[in-house]
């Protein structure tokens, strides 16, 4: 049994990091500092006081509206905090108090940030992918981590394999279709996964993401065929 106090602590941690993720999603693509500068309402530009800036809770108390201008605060802030709390709790359930848990929490916050920046701006910040690659490689020298993580040789192969496979797809796609299918950001992202989980994770991730992509593409195709 996991004690309730631990769960509350992990949930608060998840909320705070989710809130930090929101700041990154908003500021990283604009090259604004992530640490400096207080948060303000994007609509009326008024500074947000600390008690209106509590993850999840403030959003519910203010029922999703800015205290000053009463205009709606995007549900996206709430969703990011919520998803992050859930993923922190799941990681904690699976790996308890361990270095593996801390590493996976760092990875999941980062992926949440990357995913949402990519969704909004179609870019994947190098500052994030490169730091994750380095961290993924360095951590593979620690023999005491959970066996979901590979050793450093496997990690290194995974990183290059992940990058290389997307890079070659981009290359051949460009030769055949004369246009871009994917960006190098995707290659870097797969390199991150390779460095973190070893080469074996690469075909697995490609398989999963193809299914994921198909789920999105098929309804579109059916519409086109009907027309
Ligand atoms: Zn406002």
């Amino acid at each position: 049994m996991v004690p309730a106090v631990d769960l509350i602590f992990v949930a608060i941690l998840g909320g705070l990091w989710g809130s930090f993720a929101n700041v990154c999603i908003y500021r990283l693509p604009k090259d604004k500092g992530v640490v400096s500068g207080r948060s303000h309402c994007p609509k009326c530009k008024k500074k947000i006081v600390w008690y209106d800036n509590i993850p999840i809770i403030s959003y519910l108390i203010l029922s999703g509206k800015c205290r000053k201008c009463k205009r709606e605060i995007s549900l996206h802030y709430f969703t990011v905090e919520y998803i992050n709390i859930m993923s922190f709790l799941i990681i904690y359930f699976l790996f308890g108090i361990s270095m593996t848990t801390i590493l996976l929490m760092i990875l999941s916050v980062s992926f949440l940030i990357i995913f949402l920046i990519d969704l909004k701006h179609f870019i994947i910040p190098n500052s994030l992918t490169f730091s994750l690659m380095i961290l993924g490689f360095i951590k593979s020298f620690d023999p005491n981590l959970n066996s979901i993580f590979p050793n450093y040789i496997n990690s290194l192969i995974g990183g290059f394999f992940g990058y290389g496979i997307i890079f070659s797809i981009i290359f051949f796609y460009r030769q055949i279709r004369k246009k871009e299918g994917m960006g190098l950001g995707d290659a870097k992202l797969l390199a991150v996964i390779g460095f973190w989980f070893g080469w074996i994770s690469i075909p697995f991730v490609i398989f999963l993401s193809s299914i994921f992509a198909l789920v999105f593409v098929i309804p579109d195709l059916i519409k086109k065929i009907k027309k």
Side-chain angles (χ1 to χ4, degrees):
M1 259 307 280
V2 186
V5 186
D6 287 20
L7 292 188
I8 293 169
F9 177 76
V10 173
I12 293 173
L13 200 67
L16 291 175
W17 279 95
S19 164
F20 178 69
N22 273 324
V23 174
C24 295
I25 293 162
Y26 180 73
R27 294 191 188 175
L28 269 185
K30 295 174 184 169
D31 269 331
K32 290 184 186 176
V34 177
V35 182
S36 63
R38 301 252 324 265
S39 28
H40 56 79
C41 166
K43 306 253 165 72
C44 68
K45 310 287 173 210
K46 288 258 166 59
K47 288 218 166 97
I48 297 169
V49 282
W50 67 268
Y51 53 81
D52 282 345
N53 212 0
I54 300 164
I56 300 282
I57 295 165
S58 292
Y59 189 90
L60 296 176
I61 290 175
L62 296 168
S63 54
K65 292 189 180 79
C66 168
R67 188 186 288 276
K68 306 267 166 46
C69 66
K70 303 285 173 209
R71 275 181 284 186
E72 258 177 53
I73 305 165
S74 166
L75 186 63
H76 140 222
Y77 294 100
F78 179 85
T79 317
V80 167
E81 284 160 4
Y82 180 78
I83 292 174
N84 199 59
I85 289 173
M86 285 305 153
S87 48
F88 270 32
L89 284 174
I90 292 168
I91 293 166
Y92 183 71
F93 260 118
L94 293 173
F95 301 101
I97 304 173
S98 64
M99 196 60 200
T100 305
T101 292
I102 294 173
L103 285 165
L104 288 176
M105 284 175 175
I106 294 172
L107 188 68
S108 76
V109 176
S110 311
F111 269 14
L112 192 59
I113 297 169
I114 290 173
F115 180 72
L116 280 149
I117 290 180
D118 193 22
L119 205 67
K120 273 184 161 177
H121 304 276
F122 307 104
I123 50 161
I124 296 176
N126 282 333
S127 54
L128 282 173
T129 45
F130 284 132
S131 335
L132 285 177
M133 283 182 217
I134 293 166
L135 184 59
F137 184 53
I138 290 175
K139 68 128 183 58
S140 62
F141 287 90
D142 183 350
N144 299 317
L145 293 176
N146 191 285
S147 58
I148 54 161
F149 293 134
N151 65 22
Y152 64 95
I153 299 169
N154 189 345
S155 163
L156 197 63
I157 296 172
F160 281 96
F161 182 39
Y163 191 86
I165 203 154
I166 301 290
F167 186 83
S168 50
I169 291 174
I170 293 172
F171 180 78
F172 286 116
Y173 200 82
R174 200 183 281 158
Q175 297 294 312
I176 299 163
R177 301 284 295 272
K178 306 279 178 225
K179 61 178 182 182
E180 307 285 324
M182 269 180 284
L184 278 179
D186 298 300
K188 287 171 203 156
L189 211 54
L190 209 59
V192 169
I193 293 172
F195 275 119
W196 275 72
F197 298 105
W199 67 267
I200 197 86
S201 64
I202 299 300
F204 189 68
V205 169
I206 290 177
F207 177 71
L208 277 184
S209 43
S210 325
I211 291 181
F212 199 64
L214 275 180
V215 171
F216 280 97
V217 168
I218 285 174
D220 247 30
L221 275 180
I222 293 174
K223 261 187 219 161
K224 269 182 196 161
I225 292 168
K226 275 185 181 167
K227 276 179 189 161

